Amino acid sequence: MADNQGTAQTNVPLSDIDPTLSTVGKPVDGGCVWFNFDPDGAKLPTDATTKMSTLTGFESVGEISDDGLSFTKSVTADKKKGWHNETILSAVSDEERTVKMTLVEPNRPTAAKAYYGASNVEADTDGSVKHIKDVAGTSIAVAAVVDELETNGKLRRTVIPKMAIDSFDDVSHKAGDLLGYGITGTLLKKADETALKHIYRAKPAE
């Protein structure tokens, strides 16, 4: 049965109710989130089948917390009311898209770069973090790819061409707490892109 992508390319109708179209958030085996610290020069995947290992510049951030990721769409509306105090016109005056996650492998250089900046992290010979410089005023922008496994077995890939990592949670060093970097990225408009993010779905993943 052909995929229904919601475009004129398919003429296969969906049934009125289809539980296979529902899913829960589930990570794929292995890496799920990748950052590229050169978003303007990054070659992005344009499907859900290209293996991330074949794309130059993308680094796995490692494990994230059991909260997973949360995407937020924030819209501010400019509402106009008539004489009878009823809203008669609503126009969007501001929009913002963000994504939030907590990186829980703080000794992985990619995770540390997302918090401190790519130029402020030095890796050791074993590949883990050796030295971090905490420099004020550091600007961090990345391209990002997130892979999820749907309940029906298909791979769901979210591609973010560019986002600024511009909000950070407190880093708790309390005994017994998992050390991690909570970050929020604001999705940015690129000159050569019409979308803030792309979502691709693949045939059932192996």
Side-chain angles (χ1 to χ4, degrees), residues 69-75 95-101 158 160 162-167 183-188 196-197:
L69 302 98
S70 58
F71 288 91
T72 301
K73 178 179 178 179
S74 177
V75 177
E95 288 190 60
E96 186 175 80
R97 309 286 195 278
T98 59
V99 58
K100 180 177 176 59
M101 69 190 81
T158 302
I160 301 171
K162 187 173 184 178
M163 72 177 188
I165 301 176
D166 51 15
S167 182
I183 60 173
T184 300
T186 300
L187 279 58
L188 304 177
L196 294 175
K197 72 173 184 281

Side-chain angles (χ1 to χ4, degrees), residues 101-181:
M101 69 190 81
T102 300
L103 315 180
V104 293
E105 294 186 17
N107 294 320
R108 179 183 290 268
T110 311
K113 291 176 187 178
Y115 195 88
Y116 294 101
S119 62
N120 298 323
V121 176
E122 181 184 359
D124 209 340
T125 54
D126 64 357
S128 66
V129 169
K130 178 181 181 180
H131 173 226
I132 297 171
K133 295 184 298 182
D134 191 358
V135 180
T138 300
S139 178
I140 306 168
V142 300
V145 175
V146 179
D147 279 356
E148 300 171 83
L149 188 62
E150 295 186 357
T151 308
N152 58 21
K154 285 194 176 184
L155 182 70
R156 183 183 185 91
R157 171 170 288 172
T158 302
V159 178
I160 301 171
K162 187 173 184 178
M163 72 177 188
I165 301 176
D166 51 15
S167 182
F168 306 89
D169 295 345
D170 294 342
V171 180
S172 174
H173 289 260
K174 181 180 177 181
D177 280 1
L178 189 64
L179 184 62
Y181 298 134

